Amino acid sequence: MSRHLKVASAQLGPLHLADTRTSATARLVKLLREAHAMGARFVVFPELAFTTFFPRYWYADDTEVDQRFFEFTMPSAETQPLFDEARKLGMGFYIGYAERVVEQGRVRRFNTAILVRPDGTIAGRYRKIHLPGHSEHRPQAPFQHLEKKYFEVGNLGFRVWRYMDTITGMLICNDRRWPEAYRVLALQGAEIVALGFNTPSENLAFPEPPALRVHHHLITAQAMAYQNATWLIETAKCGFEDGYRMFGHSLIVAPTGEIAAKSVSEEDEVICFNADIDLAADLKRNTFNFAAHRRPEHYRLIVERTGAEVTPSDEP
Ligand code: CDV
């Protein structure tokens, strides 16, 4: 008998600078209830789900940034209602937030996601590894992308957990553009990958039509799900945050590479699908039987080299 888990992606519309964590949490609770009414047992919320996407703003004062955007504990008094409601409804969830911790006597800040069990306990924690953008102030830019200023590179690696009778891994936003991240999860048996994102509709680095940005989001999601034979749930925070637009297109993708469900708005919206967790069994036994077909002895450059170097062969 195949395993099924009804999964949901709970997309958030914009959160402005003036919004509080309490009002964000109230919206997340409402989405959670909606997902529950649709029969979902596992819900994926976005990256940095309690505040506006603050890396677009330059702040010189770390204390102000900490107070406005970072969580010192999770849950806190303001975010606890989400955990309480999920426990009451018996639902598991993934959620992203800005994490401030003291480790080995040093303050550290990470772009983090957690996997919460239906009993309210935390099953897993992931700290974002691929941090896009820049660290220096660019006051002339229409908006900034200061993830390299506000966060350290995650120090917990890419991991999976036994979770709700599945093997589930976590990624965050820009990770979805890097095949290595998914492959490391797939090599640990990932059956579900949960991912929250905030993706500006405009490219800061060079001009690019917004539709092309959505295209890249869709093709990478479909390719990564198929090539790693895993379910993929990707959830946006989107819409105009204080005038800065981010796209929606939250997705549930099957291991076949087919989009099972997709959001249609740039507002609060829940999509849901009854995922057959064993759907990928044939793929994993055949085309993507890693043990039978992978050739890591020919992939050494992937871990030995970071940037591309032009190194043509002298041999025919
Ligand atoms: N939050 C993100 O990581 N956003 C990036 C933007 C900068 C392109 C993304 O890959 O969607």
Side-chain angles (χ1 to χ4, degrees), residues 47 53 128 132 145 147 173-174 176-177 198-200 213:
E47 172 191 32
F53 189 66
K128 187 176 182 180
H145 199 106
E147 285 197 59
C173 196
N174 190 262
R176 76 196 193 281
R177 304 183 193 275
N198 285 263
T199 301
R213 291 174 68 69

Side-chain angles (χ1 to χ4, degrees), residues 33-263:
R33 289 188 184 133
E34 202 176 318
H36 180 258
M38 293 162 97
R41 293 173 50 221
F42 174 50
V43 182
V44 176
F45 291 111
E47 172 191 32
L48 300 175
F50 296 101
T51 66
T52 197
F53 189 66
F54 65 90
R56 75 170 71 87
Y57 302 109
W58 174 269
Y59 289 90
D61 179 0
D62 284 350
T63 311
E64 183 183 359
V65 177
D66 283 349
Q67 294 305 328
R68 291 184 75 141
F69 305 116
F70 277 81
E71 309 300 326
F72 287 51
T73 60
M74 184 55 67
S76 63
E78 289 153 305
T79 56
Q80 183 71 50
L82 177 65
F83 287 70
D84 292 345
E85 190 66 14
R87 197 177 56 239
K88 194 175 106 193
L89 299 174
M91 296 173 77
F93 66 92
Y94 159 113
I95 195 154
Y97 64 98
E99 180 190 22
R100 183 193 184 279
V101 276
V102 178
E103 281 182 352
Q104 280 120 34
R106 186 160 77 84
V107 173
R108 309 190 70 174
R109 298 177 182 83
F110 297 102
N111 186 342
T112 295
I114 48 171
L115 205 51
V116 181
R117 298 187 189 93
D119 67 3
T121 56
I122 294 177
R125 178 182 308 275
Y126 168 65
R127 291 171 172 164
K128 187 176 182 180
I129 287 178
H130 295 104
L131 297 175
H134 52 99
S135 55
E136 75 288 358
H137 193 17
R138 295 185 183 169
Q140 311 306 332
F143 60 93
Q144 306 202 43
H145 199 106
L146 291 157
E147 285 197 59
K148 281 183 164 36
K149 166 179 163 62
Y150 292 125
F151 304 116
E152 283 184 61
V153 172
N155 60 351
L156 300 176
F158 298 112
R159 297 182 293 162
V160 301
W161 293 267
R162 283 193 195 286
Y163 180 75
M164 300 187 79
D165 198 24
T166 73
I167 304 294
T168 295
M170 290 186 278
L171 297 175
I172 301 178
C173 196
N174 190 262
D175 288 324
R176 76 196 193 281
R177 304 183 193 275
W178 300 94
E180 299 89 336
Y182 290 90
R183 186 48 57 92
V184 172
L185 294 181
L187 283 168
Q188 298 169 79
E191 296 171 324
I192 296 179
V193 175
L195 180 151
F197 66 95
N198 285 263
T199 301
S201 299
E202 193 184 326
N203 187 340
L204 192 58
F206 58 90
E208 194 178 41
L212 189 56
R213 291 174 68 69
V214 172
H215 175 68
H216 294 153
H217 161 67
L218 299 178
I219 54 166
T220 49
Q222 292 186 258
M224 296 304 157
Y226 168 65
Q227 291 176 333
N228 295 288
T230 177
W231 285 90
L232 176 54
I233 308 159
E234 294 196 351
T235 303
K237 179 148 67 58
C238 54
F240 286 88
E241 290 193 333
D242 287 321
Y244 301 98
R245 189 177 188 182
M246 300 188 294
F247 65 71
H249 299 275
S250 298
L251 297 170
I252 300 172
V253 188
T256 54
E258 292 165 290
I259 295 176
K262 189 171 95 58
S263 67

